[in-house]
Amino acid sequence: DTGVSQDPRHKITKRGQNVTFRCDPISEHNRLYWYRQTLGQGPEFLTYFQNEAQLEKSRLLSDRFSAERPKGSFSTLEIQRTEQGDSAMYLCASSFSGRGYEQYFGPGTRLTVT
Amino acid sequence: AQKVTQAQTEISVVEKEDVTLDCVYETRDTTYYLFWYKQPPSGELVFLIRRNSFDEQNEISGRYSWNFQKSTSSFNFTITASQVVDSAVYFCALSSGNTPLVFGKGTRLSVIA
């Protein structure tokens, strides 16, 4: 399977704990995106990388959220001091760079904060 | 600002009926791209189609067809002879190329056998 993979698929954590999610993009793609999806809504953009450069991070929901892609391959999304409102599906997608290429999504990580 | 509106929250049809999912978009850019994605109960978003703003030709792929009309800022999706496996949430999305995807809220389609 050469699609986008995400780990873990599910995460249950207690409020105040830190969590980290991993995304492995399609190997030929140099762009990687993170989205958040809450119940009944479409995905909401958080941040994206082209290779190892983070080109947009102003949409990260708060300074508790951070993302890295240190070698231009896999990426991690970290949420510090989790809150109940952080409970959502976190989606990763990848694409070729350039205008208008379609993004391919992974299966997502469902976060539940208790 | 860019916006995508999917006015139909939920649609229910009987198998073999045709169904059209509406998508209306807003953008000030002259070059933009429109997409449809399917999200089945398993949760993974599946890419269906991309159109660019310069290509208003309608497209057909098997039982799926898409009608792009710039004059009404719409990019509607029709499933012909629907099947139970078509049951999913369908999202319309918009990008101006180097901007991230802006999604609508989705339309939940239920196809009843």
Side-chain angles (χ1 to χ4, degrees):
Chain A
D1 185 9
T2 57
V4 178
S5 62
Q6 292 186 245
D7 184 68
R9 295 290 305 276
H10 303 273
K11 179 71 177 179
I12 300 173
T13 191
K14 292 185 177 178
R15 189 177 51 173
Q17 298 294 305
N18 298 344
V19 294
T20 300
F21 309 141
R22 175 179 171 127
C23 171
D24 287 87
I26 293 170
S27 57
E28 302 84 19
H29 290 172
N30 53 7
R31 281 197 179 170
L32 186 150
Y33 306 80
W34 285 99
Y35 292 82
R36 184 180 81 154
Q37 186 177 21
T38 54
L39 201 61
Q41 302 295 317
E44 173 189 18
F45 170 76
L46 296 178
T47 187
Y48 85 103
F49 295 84
Q50 180 157 313
N51 300 313
E52 63 274 11
Q54 190 172 13
L55 297 187
E56 172 63 67
K57 57 181 179 181
S58 64
R59 310 272 192 95
L60 285 167
L61 300 165
S62 79
D63 58 7
R64 298 184 296 106
F65 288 71
S66 64
E68 292 184 341
R69 195 183 183 197
K71 297 181 180 178
S73 56
F74 73 91
S75 175
T76 57
L77 177 69
E78 181 181 15
I79 308 174
Q80 296 183 328
R81 305 180 304 281
T82 53
E83 301 173 356
Q84 287 189 322
D86 297 332
S87 296
M89 177 76 86
Y90 291 84
L91 298 167
C92 176
S94 69
S95 75
F96 292 110
S97 60
R99 300 180 68 85
Y101 280 105
E102 61 271 21
Q103 297 175 24
Y104 291 89
F105 284 80
T109 295
R110 182 167 295 284
L111 173 66
T112 301
V113 182
T114 61
Chain B
Q2 299 183 322
K3 185 178 178 181
V4 174
T5 301
Q6 295 180 254
Q8 304 150 308
T9 305
E10 293 191 34
I11 300 176
S12 185
V13 298
V14 176
E15 203 171 22
K16 298 184 184 176
E17 286 185 350
D18 299 346
V19 58
T20 295
L21 310 182
D22 297 334
C23 172
V24 173
Y25 62 91
E26 295 177 29
T27 181
R28 292 182 181 158
D29 297 305
T30 54
T31 301
Y32 53 88
Y33 303 82
L34 294 161
F35 304 81
W36 276 95
Y37 284 85
K38 175 181 180 180
Q39 189 171 41
S42 61
E44 188 162 341
L45 279 158
V46 177
F47 166 73
L48 296 177
I49 189 171
R50 175 193 67 181
R51 305 298 288 175
N52 73 55
S53 52
F54 297 110
D55 183 2
E56 286 193 73
Q57 215 170 15
N58 291 330
E59 182 154 340
I60 298 174
S61 176
R63 295 183 298 106
Y64 295 171
S65 62
W66 291 269
N67 183 309
F68 176 28
Q69 292 196 337
K70 287 178 75 171
S71 60
T72 56
S73 297
S74 65
F75 185 43
N76 296 338
F77 173 28
T78 297
I79 302 174
T80 303
S82 59
Q83 300 176 2
V84 172
V85 293
D86 296 327
S87 297
V89 181
Y90 291 87
F91 291 96
C92 181
L94 166 69
S95 169
S96 292
N98 286 320
T99 59
L101 290 173
V102 174
F103 285 84
K105 291 188 175 183
T107 297
R108 180 177 299 278
L109 174 65
S110 297
V111 181
I112 303 166

